[in-house]
Amino acid sequence: MSSRITDDTIDALQHCRLKAHFQLRGEQGAPSEYEKLLIEQRARLLPKAIERVRSHCGETELLTDLRITSADLRKGAAFILGASQVDDRFAVHFDALRKIDKPSALGSFRYEPVFFCATSRVTAFDRQRLAARAVLLARVQGAFPNGGTAYVGPGCSRTSIRFGSMLAKAEALLRDAERLQRAEDPPKLMLNDHCRICAFRDRCHDQAVREDNLTLLRGLGEKTIKRCARSGILTLTQLAHTFRPRRRGKRADLPLTQRDHALHALAIRDKTIYVLGSPEVRTAEVRIFIDMEGDPDRQFIYLIGLIVSERERVERHSFWADSEKAEDEIFARFLEVVSRYSAPCLYSYGHFERTFFERMRRKARRKKPIDTVLSALTNVLKIIYPHFYFPTYSNGLKEIGVYLGCHWSDPDASGIMSMVWRRNWEMTGDASWKSRLIQYNLEDCEWLRRVCDFISQPPHSELEHRSGGEYRVRSVAELDKLSRTTNWSKLVNPDFEFVNKRAYFDYQQRHVFVRTKHKSLRKRGSGEKRRRWQNRDLRVTHRIRISATRCPHCKSTRITSLSPRQQPKGLQRRRKRAIDLVFSPGAIRRKVIEFKTAAYRCECCQQCFVPERYDRLKRYFHGLMCWFAYQHITHRLGIKSLAALFYETFGVRINFWEFADFRHLLVCKYSETYNRLLKQILDGPVLYIDETEIKLKDGEGYVWVLASNSATIYMFRPSREGGFLRQMLRDFRGVLVSDFFSAYDGLPCLQQRCLIHLMRDLNRAILDNPFDQEVQSITAPFGVLLRSIVTTIDQHGLKQRHLQKHTKAADEFFGAVAERVYESEASKALQQRLLRNRERLFTFLRHDDVSWNNNLAENAIKHVSTYRDNVRRSIKAAGLSEYLVLLSLFQSCRVMDISFLKFLLSQERDMGAFAMGKRRRRRAARIEIYPKGYLPPSIVSLRRGKTRPASKPGAVRSDGGRAES
């Protein structure tokens, strides 16, 4: 192309590359009424702005209609009006230039661009437009201006604009314009929100329909379109074929919030309205349908329309505001109408009306009437979005209304046109514009009522008749074959239904086959079910008598044993049983211990008591709890499986809640080991860290893993915020190996990023941009560099003296990436990421035993992922935290290559000493007791209403008694 880049080209490129391509070729479209309005507003503003500039500076300091060159700018005029930059590539107009005292190639001064803004606010589009002119100006004067000046609105108020990061975006925008200028083929068609006011809207829409373009479907983002393209999905028809109805999970009661774009494409292909789920629309005897028209530039509502439907009676109201001051008045009139009715339901289409009500509530004195309106307001679009899929390209009220048979009196009526009509009324005062707006507003309310009536009806597959044609409505459940649990047809004969229910397996087991069993078997089975105390039928292998040596009240040793007749009421002295597992090299055997005791009286204080150890006696001993932890953590057996395992293997019945008790007691016992492992990791030279999300019964949270070559620690946090890491790692002096999560960036320690994560992202960039040579120029050298380093590691290990020779090659790679100017978005993103993490990518070259990947932490995370898939949302935060303590012990044993079960059975607290073989020989305790203040579940179940106090880990003191066997 030989056309120059103009103001229109730069403006168009901010919205659409194809529009900029058309303008570079000199093609002309049909400008929309809204674009014409903006041009007229700007034309009326220019004389006012120029007059305002002339009033700020004298005629001697002002130049006009100057062509921007170095020689002309060196003249040093304070203000230049109507400047232009014209060369072989550009023909760009500047509203004005203002001189500022900062050095440049021109001398001790430089210029910044000035922009005349017709609207009342400076938008992001205006800022980027001004930044693009600042970049062009910098190419002439040799220095970038830090900001610009804008004269805003009809009053031409002056405001300063800081550019910041917008200069880099503006420079990329101009480079993109230059690429389009050189290119012969048009860019890919991508419809967007700007198409509503674009001069080429009809042409692009027709092309998109012919191509069956994905961007016809409103709501599909650029990332989603790229993801579809990677899967070979390029059209709406192809996207429709990807829809697969899925049965909802256990939490099907949660409301739908997401939209399935594949189902939307299917609705367009089949020309059918699909209904997903069970939408609920609030209704009442009085229904009020609301629509508002406003001025987004001045941020005020000038028209409120509503239709009140009460049974067969329909009322229509319109409240018009001539100016911003009348906004409060029309809102008060609206509240007056709504307050006439008791418990009405209000309906709007979108969140525009709710936002207005909330704004009025903030400045209102009486908030209760507005709160009543807000509580009764229903956003119809919020119901349509997840549940209703119309065969239209968007969910706009006009598109859906036209499909359902609604017709607007003005075919061009839209939200954009309403702003044009309002400005025409303000300039001319013609009542026809006002009547047109009121008519359009009431029609919106009427068709909103029609849409509400439609979505309130239950879906069915029959043809619905409407004016001009007919349409079909189907429920997605009809497409979901997975929802059918059987292929049998429904039994219509009541006798067949009666017989069929009695053919189920469970029914026959409980009601039929049990009657045919032998009487003795039935009695035995029924007797087992009626047994009150479990495990009382187990044979006792050991008997121990617990006695006391002193009074627990006054510590006196002058105590006497009481006979059963002398024993006062209330003292518990029944026989107790404890169960344990004894491990030998060739077998595991069950051990059942029966304990007896007697009541005592102190001769000093005359108090009667039972030995304290008898009250705190454990029901299950350490060996059995170790076997539970081993099966639960190592082999990932669930609670139900463990209960069946203990009963089938050892004949021991254990309740589900008692397993949680086992876990709690083990955590209390080994919390010291857990803290010692954490300190060992933080004192080490290398720390590997990672995190993963987990869903809980009472919410969600994150599991963090800290690992080293000799230990692993898991911890639960309610969020992904990494603020606690700064406190935890304040004394860490090693190297932190992690992924690219931003929470690690500010930690005060040396860091190494996982190069496997980076390599995967580079590979994804290659797949997403297969013909981008700039991406290849980054990934290819990086692959060569990384391959040479890994080869050295395979030969010599992670030794600094062998790896430091690669530091020069790494510096050369970063230097080449930093010096080159990239044009494609993918290559620029890779460049920024590599340079931002430059000091964290090759830290392992300068240290011993620091890995270039984060596999230690990621491997540890796999155990959490498996556990998460097994338990889903059936665990709470407290139970998960206890599980993570035991999992930390297991994973640490795994990396230290020692047996988790043997470590638990040894009752050793120091895992390092156990690994080195420095094990203190412990004699098995004959009696095991609960920590002080701890209530086991069996006692809690008897004392209903009381809760188990939290017990602190630590040594358990006995009362000084002795055990006799």
Side-chain angles (χ1 to χ4, degrees):
M1 296 181 188
S2 58
S3 299
R4 296 173 180 174
I5 299 172
T6 63
D7 300 332
D8 293 337
T9 307
I10 296 175
D11 295 346
L13 197 55
Q14 292 195 56
H15 300 296
C16 176
R17 300 182 78 246
L18 186 58
K19 181 178 180 180
H21 172 80
F22 290 152
Q23 291 183 343
L24 285 171
R25 292 181 57 182
E27 300 185 16
Q28 299 294 328
S32 65
E33 294 296 328
Y34 185 74
E35 283 187 314
K36 294 178 182 178
L37 174 66
L38 295 180
I39 294 172
E40 292 176 2
Q41 282 183 336
R42 180 169 169 79
R44 289 194 300 270
L45 174 72
L46 284 178
K48 298 180 181 179
I50 293 174
E51 185 64 29
R52 180 71 182 274
V53 170
R54 290 182 182 276
S55 65
H56 281 93
C57 58
E59 291 294 335
T60 56
E61 299 178 350
L62 182 68
L63 294 178
T64 58
D65 300 330
L66 184 69
R67 188 167 181 173
I68 298 178
T69 60
S70 298
D72 291 334
L73 292 181
R74 284 195 177 95
K75 295 178 182 179
F79 233 96
I80 302 175
L81 283 174
S84 61
Q85 182 175 351
V86 182
D87 53 26
D88 296 337
R89 293 180 299 168
F90 291 93
V92 180
H93 176 78
F94 289 73
D95 289 341
L97 298 178
R98 188 172 74 93
K99 179 182 175 182
I100 57 175
D101 295 331
K102 286 190 177 181
S104 67
L106 305 175
S108 60
F109 63 91
R110 69 177 70 168
Y111 285 93
E112 68 177 17
V114 178
F115 173 62
F116 299 150
C117 181
T119 59
S120 301
R121 293 183 302 160
V122 180
T123 63
F125 172 81
D126 297 329
R127 294 173 183 270
Q128 195 64 51
R129 184 182 188 185
L130 192 62
R133 283 154 178 77
V135 172
L136 291 175
L137 185 61
R139 295 179 180 180
V140 178
Q141 65 183 7
F144 284 98
N146 296 327
T149 303
Y151 288 84
V152 184
C156 295
S157 59
R158 177 178 168 181
T159 182
S160 298
I161 298 175
R162 299 293 94 189
F163 292 139
S165 61
M166 287 189 295
L167 289 176
K169 296 180 181 178
E171 196 166 2
L173 186 75
L174 293 177
R175 285 200 300 266
D176 193 16
E178 293 170 350
R179 284 197 298 269
L180 285 176
Q181 191 180 39
R182 297 189 300 265
E184 294 295 333
D185 298 329
K188 186 178 178 180
L189 172 63
M190 295 282 290
L191 301 182
N192 55 46
D193 292 337
H194 179 70
C195 296
R196 296 178 297 172
I197 60 174
C198 178
F200 305 98
R201 57 191 178 280
D202 296 331
R203 173 180 176 177
C204 293
H205 185 269
D206 294 341
Q207 178 184 345
V209 172
R210 290 194 304 270
E211 296 176 357
D212 197 19
N213 197 298
L214 282 176
T215 56
L216 281 168
L217 201 62
R218 294 283 299 275
L220 273 181
E222 186 176 354
K223 290 184 179 180
T224 306
I225 293 175
K226 287 184 177 180
R227 186 167 62 249
C228 292
R230 289 197 296 267
S231 303
I233 302 170
L234 305 175
T235 65
L236 281 178
T237 303
Q238 292 173 338
L239 180 62
H241 284 286
T242 64
F243 174 70
R244 296 292 182 272
R246 293 289 184 265
R247 189 185 307 171
R248 299 191 67 189
K250 296 180 179 179
R251 297 193 171 264
D253 55 333
L254 295 177
L256 293 173
T257 56
Q258 302 298 322
R259 187 166 181 85
D260 193 331
H261 299 295
L263 180 56
H264 195 171
L266 181 67
I268 295 174
R269 189 197 70 180
D270 296 345
K271 297 181 180 179
T272 303
I273 303 174
Y274 285 109
V275 182
L276 179 62
S278 302
E280 296 181 1
V281 183
R282 288 194 302 177
T283 186
E285 185 176 348
V286 178
R287 298 186 301 164
I288 302 177
F289 303 91
I290 310 170
D291 186 62
M292 298 181 182
E293 309 299 333
D295 188 333
D297 183 25
R298 289 175 286 181
Q299 292 186 330
F300 86 101
I301 299 297
Y302 60 83
L303 177 59
I304 301 177
L306 63 152
I307 291 180
V308 182
S309 175
E310 184 179 11
R311 297 178 183 175
E312 301 299 328
R313 187 170 61 89
V314 176
E315 293 183 2
R316 292 172 174 83
H317 302 271
S318 294
F319 306 114
W320 176 271
D322 291 338
S323 63
E324 300 177 38
K325 298 179 180 179
E327 184 184 50
D328 294 338
E329 179 185 348
I330 64 172
F331 181 63
R333 293 168 61 190
F334 164 77
L335 291 179
E336 181 184 355
V337 173
V338 174
S339 62
R340 299 174 189 171
Y341 304 97
S342 175
C345 274
L346 282 72
Y347 302 90
S348 66
Y349 202 83
H351 65 276
F352 183 69
E353 287 75 12
R354 179 175 289 274
T355 303
F356 169 69
F357 291 147
E358 291 174 349
R359 176 166 65 87
M360 299 303 291
R361 184 186 183 276
R362 286 194 291 270
K363 63 179 183 179
R365 292 184 177 180
R366 298 180 64 246
K367 302 183 184 298
K368 189 174 181 179
I370 306 178
D371 291 337
T372 303
V373 171
L374 286 172
S375 61
L377 184 63
T378 298
N379 183 358
V380 178
L381 180 59
K382 196 173 181 180
I383 300 174
I384 290 178
Y385 182 78
H387 292 288
F388 289 90
Y389 294 81
F390 291 89
T392 57
Y393 292 123
S394 75
N395 287 325
L397 177 61
K398 188 170 184 179
E399 279 202 67
I400 294 177
V402 169
Y403 183 79
L404 295 178
C406 307
H407 297 284
W408 276 257
S409 56
D410 191 327
D412 296 330
S414 65
I416 295 293
M417 286 303 300
S418 68
M419 291 187 282
V420 177
W421 295 342
R422 172 71 185 190
R423 292 300 170 89
N424 290 339
W425 176 83
E426 291 177 349
M427 290 185 294
T428 63
D430 190 351
S432 63
W433 296 113
K434 178 178 178 180
S435 62
R436 185 180 296 187
L437 274 168
I438 294 175
Q439 178 69 19
Y440 163 67
N441 178 256
L442 288 177
E443 286 176 350
D444 275 357
C445 296
E446 180 62 35
W447 304 143
L448 173 59
R449 181 164 73 100
R450 180 78 63 86
V451 172
C452 286
D453 292 341
F454 173 81
I455 65 176
S456 300
Q457 300 172 0
H460 47 82
S461 58
E462 297 179 359
L463 292 176
E464 292 286 342
H465 296 278
R466 61 179 173 91
S467 57
E470 54 188 16
Y471 54 86
R472 290 181 298 177
V473 183
R474 296 185 64 184
S475 174
V476 178
E478 299 177 15
L479 305 177
D480 189 0
K481 297 180 180 179
L482 296 177
S483 64
R484 301 183 180 180
T485 58
T486 178
N487 293 326
W488 297 353
S489 58
K490 184 178 180 181
L491 298 174
V492 294
N493 189 314
D495 296 331
F496 291 171
E497 183 70 19
F498 176 84
V499 174
N500 184 66
K501 286 182 178 180
R502 281 149 181 80
Y504 286 106
F505 175 81
D506 293 341
Y507 182 87
Q508 295 194 83
Q509 289 289 325
R510 297 175 182 175
H511 297 84
V512 180
F513 295 153
V514 70
R515 301 180 186 278
T516 61
K517 292 181 180 179
H518 194 272
K519 292 183 178 180
S520 61
L521 295 178
R522 292 206 304 269
K523 290 182 179 179
R524 187 186 309 169
S526 62
E528 290 181 353
K529 290 183 181 179
R530 289 195 302 267
R531 188 181 302 276
R532 184 177 180 182
W533 302 104
Q534 61 181 10
N535 299 327
R536 301 301 293 182
D537 56 344
L538 300 181
R539 184 176 63 87
V540 176
T541 58
H542 296 74
R543 288 182 170 83
I544 298 177
R545 183 178 182 85
I546 299 178
S547 60
T549 59
R550 60 186 176 186
C551 174
H553 305 286
C554 65
K555 310 303 179 183
S556 172
T557 58
R558 298 172 58 191
I559 59 176
T560 57
S561 176
L562 301 177
S563 64
R565 294 183 178 180
Q566 297 174 332
Q567 176 181 323
K569 293 182 179 181
L571 288 181
Q572 180 63 258
R573 53 180 300 278
R574 64 178 178 83
R575 297 181 181 182
K576 291 186 178 182
R577 287 190 178 185
I579 304 174
D580 196 9
L581 295 181
V582 179
F583 293 80
S584 61
I588 304 174
R589 58 187 176 86
R590 182 187 68 201
K591 181 179 179 182
V592 181
I593 312 168
E594 184 178 83
F595 293 91
K596 297 180 182 179
T597 189
Y600 293 87
R601 176 184 286 116
C602 177
E603 296 181 0
C604 293
C605 63
Q606 299 300 316
Q607 293 286 341
C608 296
F609 63 91
V610 172
E612 183 183 2
R613 291 190 303 167
Y614 186 78
D615 288 335
R616 292 166 51 196
L617 188 66
K618 282 186 178 180
R619 191 173 183 180
Y620 301 98
F621 282 7
H622 186 73
L624 187 141
M625 291 191 292
C626 291
W627 183 249
F628 151 76
Y630 173 71
Q631 297 291 344
H632 185 48
I633 304 296
T634 306
H635 299 291
R636 306 187 185 101
L637 293 186
I639 299 302
K640 292 184 178 179
S641 300
L642 283 169
L645 175 68
F646 275 99
Y647 180 70
E648 296 292 339
T649 308
F650 304 108
V652 180
R653 298 180 182 87
I654 302 178
N655 297 316
F656 294 161
W657 63 81
E658 291 179 310
F659 288 115
D661 188 56
F662 295 172
R663 184 179 60 203
H664 179 78
L665 291 172
L666 289 173
V667 169
C668 291
K669 186 179 184 67
Y670 289 102
S671 59
E672 177 186 345
T673 307
Y674 179 87
N675 295 331
R676 188 175 297 171
L677 291 174
L678 178 59
K679 185 177 185 302
Q680 177 182 337
I681 292 175
L682 298 180
D683 291 343
V686 188
L687 169 59
Y688 301 86
I689 189 170
D690 202 359
E691 79 290 329
T692 186
E693 186 181 12
I694 187 167
K695 305 291 185 182
L696 303 175
K697 190 175 182 179
D698 50 354
E700 58 185 24
Y702 284 83
V703 174
W704 296 71
V705 58
L706 285 71
S708 68
N709 293 325
S710 59
T712 303
I713 285 296
Y714 299 87
M715 59 179 60
F716 171 78
R717 304 292 297 181
S719 68
R720 204 184 180 193
E721 296 179 359
F724 74 100
L725 293 174
R726 182 175 295 274
Q727 176 68 17
M728 180 184 295
L729 302 179
R730 65 184 185 277
D731 297 327
F732 179 66
R733 297 294 177 263
V735 178
L736 179 70
V737 182
S738 66
D739 55 19
F740 289 84
F741 180 37
S742 59
Y744 306 127
D745 291 343
L747 297 179
C749 60
L750 294 174
Q751 298 187 34
Q752 168 64 47
R753 293 290 187 256
C754 178
L755 297 185
I756 290 294
H757 280 78
L758 179 60
M759 188 176 68
R760 292 170 184 165
D761 295 340
L762 294 179
N763 185 64
R764 175 53 60 191
I766 296 174
L767 295 176
D768 292 345
N769 307 274
F771 306 108
D772 194 332
Q773 296 299 323
E774 293 182 339
V775 172
Q776 298 286 347
S777 67
I778 296 176
T779 57
F782 183 80
V784 173
L785 173 62
L786 193 57
R787 180 171 182 171
S788 63
I789 295 174
V790 174
T791 302
T792 303
I793 294 174
D794 288 343
Q795 295 175 353
H796 305 286
L798 296 168
K799 300 298 181 182
Q800 177 191 2
R801 65 177 184 272
H802 298 292
L803 294 175
Q804 61 184 0
K805 63 182 180 182
H806 297 285
T807 55
K808 183 178 179 181
D811 293 338
E812 291 176 353
F813 166 76
F814 283 116
V817 171
E819 292 175 0
R820 181 167 178 177
V821 177
Y822 296 95
E823 296 185 352
S824 67
E825 294 296 330
S827 59
K828 287 190 293 185
L830 292 180
Q831 181 191 37
Q832 294 174 3
R833 184 177 184 183
L834 289 172
L835 296 180
R836 184 172 61 251
N837 295 280
R838 178 173 183 172
E839 301 301 326
R840 306 186 186 102
L841 293 181
F842 294 101
T843 308
F844 70 99
L845 298 178
R846 301 184 295 273
H847 296 82
D848 288 333
D849 300 324
V850 177
S851 179
W852 53 279
N853 55 63
N854 197 24
N855 285 348
L856 264 178
E858 290 183 355
N859 181 267
I861 280 289
K862 288 182 179 179
H863 293 276
V864 180
S865 302
T866 304
Y867 180 73
R868 176 181 57 197
D869 296 338
N870 291 337
V871 301
R872 297 185 182 272
R873 282 184 176 268
S874 62
I875 193 169
K876 294 185 178 181
L880 176 63
S881 299
E882 293 180 349
Y883 176 85
L884 293 178
V885 173
L886 298 180
L887 185 60
S888 301
L889 301 182
F890 163 73
Q891 187 66 12
S892 298
C893 289
R894 186 166 172 258
V895 297
M896 296 174 69
D897 196 21
I898 59 179
S899 170
F900 177 54
L901 177 61
K902 291 182 179 179
F903 171 73
L904 293 178
L905 291 173
S906 69
Q907 302 195 40
E908 179 65 55
R909 308 292 179 88
D910 190 344
M911 191 174 291
F914 180 84
M916 297 176 62
K918 299 178 181 179
R919 311 173 190 175
R920 293 175 292 176
R921 290 193 171 273
R922 296 177 180 270
R923 193 175 177 184
R926 303 179 64 191
I927 300 178
E928 295 184 19
I929 57 178
Y930 291 115
K932 272 192 174 181
Y934 179 83
L935 286 177
S938 57
I939 301 301
V940 173
S941 62
L942 295 177
R943 304 178 183 178
R944 297 190 178 183
K946 295 185 179 181
T947 57
R948 180 181 68 188
S951 56
K952 298 182 180 180
V956 179
R957 297 178 301 175
S958 67
D959 60 351
R962 62 178 184 273
E964 300 175 356
S965 58

